[in-house]
Amino acid sequence: MDIKWDKFFITGDPLILGSQVAIALTMIGIVVGVTYFKKWKWLWQEWFTTVDHKRIGIMYILVGVLMFFRGGIDGLLMKAQTATPDGKILDAQHYNEIFTTHGVIMILFMAMPFLIGLMNVVVPLQIGARDVAFPQLNALSFWLTFAGAMLFNISFVIGGSPDAGWTAYFPLAGKEFTPGIGNNFYAVAIQIAGIGTLMTGINFIVTVLKMRAPGMTLMKMPMFTWTSFIASVIIWASFPIFTVALALMTFDRIFGTHFFTVSGDGNPMMWANLFWLWGHPEVYIVVLPAFGMFSEVISTFSRKMLYGYKSMVFSIVGIALLSMLVWVHHFFTMGAGPAVNSIFSITTMMIAIPTGVKMFNWLFTMRKGRIQFTTAMLWALAFVPCFLIGGVTGVMLAMGAADYQYHNTLFLVAHFHYVLIPGVVFAVFAGLYYWWPKMFGHMLNEKLGKLHFWFFVIGFNMTFMPMFFLGLDGAVRRAYTYSAETGFGPLMLVSAIGAGILAIGFGFLCYNIYWSARYADRNISSDPWDARTLEWATASPVQFYNFAKLPEVKSIDAFWYMKKHNEGLELKEDDLEEIHMPNNSGLPIVMAVVMGIAGFFLIFEWKIAALVALLGIFACLICRSFDYKDGFHVPVDEIKKTEKAWRDLQKGVKKNHVS
């Protein structure tokens, strides 16, 4: 492609100009700040090259927070545009770009990093392991995700943003209808991040199967570990499909093949099938770990064991199996015929059964429990009615005949958000408030947390509830404007105001993180919630080796059992042995940078430069194959010193306490 340099940077739009200035100033500020405080060496040694699953998890969460802000700005711009009839804030092209990037960022670069971050922090601790199975691969997974996110996000200011919707349907996403490079960003950046996610799925499957503590059978694992494991299995099953689809898209757009182009005897419906064979399981990749978080939070703050543990496990497995059998409900209106539509309508409705089992199990867990209304528990309680609305409207959409009315309207958009925001975002917030002291050694402020909760939940319902009624009244999705004669104006305005309230709620979270980092009490218990699972049997924040001695598991809710029976809590010096830990490595971040550079060249169709850059990947792989470093050993004296700091000195640590 002949890219003219005067078209390299996007110009002419004041919003994009503001973004360019903000990006430039932010980058300059970061470089100046880190240099002034002389933190480059510290960042490189402690964070950029770390293979510690906890620090990698924290970096994932940081990316999730940043991408929530970035995707939220897109959402606010869309709401500002549609708040009044005949809005002039965005033109049609800019609106197309914004709703495309909003969907991709929120699902792939916000929800996924948030959830994988919490999985990284918590799962190895819950199973009594010292790290994940492949620590260096774990670091590479993060840096590839980060590289993909950064590559995707520069599209607005360099080259042009993708504009064919987050589903990128062909033929619209092909060169005939979008000849610029915007959708090249979609194909390449998501591919890079997706490879990282696939590696994560494989890593956690092996970690859970091979690294559990002595005595922890599969049916003694905490529910968050179970849901993370099943989500990893779905990643392993579905992400290769998307990898192939994106590769074919790249060939079509950059190398002139015709897999999806009608004019070249391609089949655009193949893209729809491949996309949703990944896309619908993807919903459960993000929802299942969220269900696990709610299970942990509800059990802890109801002061009860999770009701119906086995049925919860079977329902998770059932959801995973059915998730691969429902993808056609995304194109009931595309002419597959009544027989096909009926089959997939039935499979779609069937998935409500295991989901309903989980709902009742959570309610029965709370029944007769001594519920503590912490901020984390409030998010879990709000999830139940809000997600129920998403589920019921999902059953409505599952009816093939009725879907002809609902499908292309704001009703579907409202349903989608009532599933993913309560089912993922509420869970992430619950998980953050719950596990924050385990990550950082201090708690988030509960008063600010409750302000965050109420503003966000009220704003969420104000934003998306009106869209059900707008959709039933005929308001179509993806429309950048509407006339006053439609009568959509009042409800559109209510929705826009709700989005503003929701944004204020998120602002309280950001302020809470800042306030707590500066002022929160550090002299807290290692088990501040009187919790039930093994991650709370360690220090807060957790020492780099996790456990001085691997715990022995005798029951579900292993830590609760230890506290109740006063077993396994004492650490005898005779039990201590040297601990083997992996070395830090700069190779993952170098590989991700090289991959990002190669992807950038490929996006602009500078093929020779991309090929040369890709040779760097092979060079990194060769370097890795000659890496004979076998980690390091933590001496017993260092373990004693570290453990004594929080066990013997008892810095507020609760000891053998069960309320």
Side-chain angles (χ1 to χ4, degrees), residues 66-89:
L66 292 174
M67 291 299 102
F68 199 117
F69 177 81
R70 167 69 177 82
I73 294 295
D74 285 345
L76 290 174
L77 285 172
M78 286 190 286
K79 286 300 176 186
Q81 166 64 22
T82 58
T84 57
D86 302 311
K88 304 295 183 185
I89 295 175

CSV table of all heavy atoms in Angstrom, one decimal, residues 66-89:
chain,number,residue,atom,x,y,z
A,66,LEU,N,-6.7,1.0,32.8
A,66,LEU,CA,-6.4,2.0,31.8
A,66,LEU,C,-7.4,1.8,30.6
A,66,LEU,O,-7.9,2.7,30.0
A,66,LEU,CB,-5.0,1.9,31.3
A,66,LEU,CG,-3.9,2.3,32.3
A,66,LEU,CD1,-2.5,2.0,31.8
A,66,LEU,CD2,-4.0,3.8,32.6
A,67,MET,N,-7.6,0.5,30.2
A,67,MET,CA,-8.5,0.2,29.1
A,67,MET,C,-9.9,0.5,29.4
A,67,MET,O,-10.7,0.8,28.5
A,67,MET,CB,-8.3,-1.2,28.6
A,67,MET,CG,-6.9,-1.4,27.9
A,67,MET,SD,-6.6,-0.4,26.4
A,67,MET,CE,-5.5,0.8,27.1
A,68,PHE,N,-10.3,0.3,30.7
A,68,PHE,CA,-11.7,0.7,31.1
A,68,PHE,C,-11.9,2.2,30.9
A,68,PHE,O,-12.9,2.6,30.4
A,68,PHE,CB,-11.9,0.3,32.6
A,68,PHE,CG,-13.3,0.2,32.9
A,68,PHE,CD1,-13.9,-1.0,33.4
A,68,PHE,CD2,-14.2,1.4,32.9
A,68,PHE,CE1,-15.2,-1.1,33.7
A,68,PHE,CE2,-15.5,1.3,33.3
A,68,PHE,CZ,-16.0,0.1,33.7
A,69,PHE,N,-10.9,3.0,31.3
A,69,PHE,CA,-10.9,4.4,31.1
A,69,PHE,C,-11.0,4.7,29.6
A,69,PHE,O,-11.9,5.5,29.1
A,69,PHE,CB,-9.7,5.1,31.7
A,69,PHE,CG,-9.6,6.6,31.5
A,69,PHE,CD1,-10.4,7.4,32.3
A,69,PHE,CD2,-8.9,7.1,30.5
A,69,PHE,CE1,-10.3,8.8,32.1
A,69,PHE,CE2,-8.8,8.5,30.3
A,69,PHE,CZ,-9.5,9.3,31.1
A,70,ARG,N,-10.2,4.1,28.8
A,70,ARG,CA,-10.1,4.4,27.3
A,70,ARG,C,-11.5,4.0,26.7
A,70,ARG,O,-12.0,4.7,25.9
A,70,ARG,CB,-9.0,3.6,26.7
A,70,ARG,CG,-8.9,3.5,25.2
A,70,ARG,CD,-8.7,4.8,24.5
A,70,ARG,NE,-8.6,4.6,23.1
A,70,ARG,CZ,-9.6,4.5,22.3
A,70,ARG,NH1,-10.8,4.6,22.8
A,70,ARG,NH2,-9.4,4.3,21.0
A,71,GLY,N,-11.9,2.7,26.9
A,71,GLY,CA,-13.2,2.3,26.4
A,71,GLY,C,-14.4,3.1,26.9
A,71,GLY,O,-15.4,3.3,26.2
A,72,GLY,N,-14.3,3.5,28.2
A,72,GLY,CA,-15.4,4.4,28.7
A,72,GLY,C,-15.5,5.7,28.0
A,72,GLY,O,-16.6,6.2,27.9
A,73,ILE,N,-14.4,6.3,27.6
A,73,ILE,CA,-14.4,7.6,26.9
A,73,ILE,C,-15.2,7.4,25.6
A,73,ILE,O,-16.0,8.2,25.2
A,73,ILE,CB,-13.0,8.1,26.6
A,73,ILE,CG1,-12.3,8.5,27.9
A,73,ILE,CG2,-13.0,9.3,25.7
A,73,ILE,CD1,-12.9,9.6,28.7
A,74,ASP,N,-14.9,6.2,24.9
A,74,ASP,CA,-15.7,5.9,23.7
A,74,ASP,C,-17.2,5.9,24.0
A,74,ASP,O,-18.0,6.4,23.2
A,74,ASP,CB,-15.2,4.6,23.1
A,74,ASP,CG,-13.9,4.7,22.4
A,74,ASP,OD1,-13.4,5.8,22.1
A,74,ASP,OD2,-13.3,3.6,22.1
A,75,GLY,N,-17.5,5.2,25.1
A,75,GLY,CA,-18.9,5.1,25.4
A,75,GLY,C,-19.6,6.4,25.7
A,75,GLY,O,-20.7,6.7,25.3
A,76,LEU,N,-18.9,7.3,26.4
A,76,LEU,CA,-19.4,8.6,26.7
A,76,LEU,C,-19.5,9.4,25.5
A,76,LEU,O,-20.5,10.2,25.4
A,76,LEU,CB,-18.5,9.3,27.7
A,76,LEU,CG,-18.4,8.8,29.2
A,76,LEU,CD1,-17.4,9.5,30.0
A,76,LEU,CD2,-19.8,8.9,29.8
A,77,LEU,N,-18.6,9.3,24.5
A,77,LEU,CA,-18.7,10.1,23.3
A,77,LEU,C,-20.0,9.6,22.5
A,77,LEU,O,-20.7,10.4,21.9
A,77,LEU,CB,-17.5,9.9,22.4
A,77,LEU,CG,-16.3,10.7,22.9
A,77,LEU,CD1,-15.0,10.3,22.1
A,77,LEU,CD2,-16.5,12.2,22.7
A,78,MET,N,-20.2,8.3,22.5
A,78,MET,CA,-21.4,7.8,21.8
A,78,MET,C,-22.7,8.3,22.4
A,78,MET,O,-23.6,8.7,21.8
A,78,MET,CB,-21.4,6.3,21.8
A,78,MET,CG,-20.4,5.7,20.8
A,78,MET,SD,-20.6,3.9,20.6
A,78,MET,CE,-20.0,3.3,22.1
A,79,LYS,N,-22.7,8.3,23.8
A,79,LYS,CA,-23.9,8.8,24.5
A,79,LYS,C,-24.1,10.3,24.3
A,79,LYS,O,-25.2,10.8,24.2
A,79,LYS,CB,-23.8,8.4,26.0
A,79,LYS,CG,-24.0,6.9,26.2
A,79,LYS,CD,-25.4,6.5,25.8
A,79,LYS,CE,-25.7,5.0,26.0
A,79,LYS,NZ,-27.0,4.7,25.4
A,80,ALA,N,-23.0,11.0,24.3
A,80,ALA,CA,-23.1,12.5,24.0
A,80,ALA,C,-23.6,12.7,22.6
A,80,ALA,O,-24.5,13.6,22.4
A,80,ALA,CB,-21.7,13.1,24.2
A,81,GLN,N,-23.2,11.9,21.7
A,81,GLN,CA,-23.7,12.1,20.3
A,81,GLN,C,-25.2,11.8,20.2
A,81,GLN,O,-25.9,12.5,19.4
A,81,GLN,CB,-22.9,11.2,19.4
A,81,GLN,CG,-23.5,11.0,18.0
A,81,GLN,CD,-23.5,12.3,17.1
A,81,GLN,OE1,-22.8,13.2,17.4
A,81,GLN,NE2,-24.4,12.3,16.1
A,82,THR,N,-25.7,10.8,20.9
A,82,THR,CA,-27.1,10.4,20.7
A,82,THR,C,-28.0,10.9,21.8
A,82,THR,O,-29.2,10.6,21.9
A,82,THR,CB,-27.2,8.9,20.7
A,82,THR,OG1,-26.6,8.3,21.9
A,82,THR,CG2,-26.4,8.3,19.5
A,83,ALA,N,-27.4,11.8,22.7
A,83,ALA,CA,-28.3,12.4,23.8
A,83,ALA,C,-29.4,13.2,23.2
A,83,ALA,O,-30.5,13.2,23.9
A,83,ALA,CB,-27.4,13.2,24.7
A,84,THR,N,-29.3,13.8,22.1
A,84,THR,CA,-30.3,14.7,21.5
A,84,THR,C,-30.5,14.3,20.1
A,84,THR,O,-29.5,13.8,19.4
A,84,THR,CB,-30.0,16.2,21.7
A,84,THR,OG1,-28.7,16.4,21.0
A,84,THR,CG2,-29.9,16.6,23.1
A,85,PRO,N,-31.6,14.6,19.5
A,85,PRO,CA,-31.8,14.3,18.1
A,85,PRO,C,-30.9,15.1,17.2
A,85,PRO,O,-30.5,16.2,17.5
A,85,PRO,CB,-33.3,14.7,17.8
A,85,PRO,CG,-33.9,14.6,19.1
A,85,PRO,CD,-32.9,15.0,20.1
A,86,ASP,N,-30.5,14.5,16.1
A,86,ASP,CA,-29.6,15.2,15.1
A,86,ASP,C,-28.3,15.8,15.7
A,86,ASP,O,-27.9,16.9,15.5
A,86,ASP,CB,-30.4,16.3,14.4
A,86,ASP,CG,-31.6,15.8,13.7
A,86,ASP,OD1,-31.5,14.8,13.0
A,86,ASP,OD2,-32.7,16.4,13.9
A,87,GLY,N,-27.7,14.9,16.6
A,87,GLY,CA,-26.5,15.4,17.3
A,87,GLY,C,-25.3,15.6,16.3
A,87,GLY,O,-25.2,15.0,15.2
A,88,LYS,N,-24.5,16.6,16.7
A,88,LYS,CA,-23.4,17.0,15.7
A,88,LYS,C,-22.0,16.8,16.3
A,88,LYS,O,-21.0,17.3,15.8
A,88,LYS,CB,-23.6,18.5,15.4
A,88,LYS,CG,-24.9,18.9,14.8
A,88,LYS,CD,-25.1,18.3,13.5
A,88,LYS,CE,-26.5,18.8,12.9
A,88,LYS,NZ,-26.8,18.1,11.6
A,89,ILE,N,-21.9,16.1,17.5
A,89,ILE,CA,-20.6,16.0,18.1
A,89,ILE,C,-19.7,15.1,17.3
A,89,ILE,O,-18.5,15.4,17.1
A,89,ILE,CB,-20.8,15.4,19.5
A,89,ILE,CG1,-21.5,16.4,20.4
A,89,ILE,CG2,-19.4,15.0,20.2
A,89,ILE,CD1,-21.9,15.9,21.8
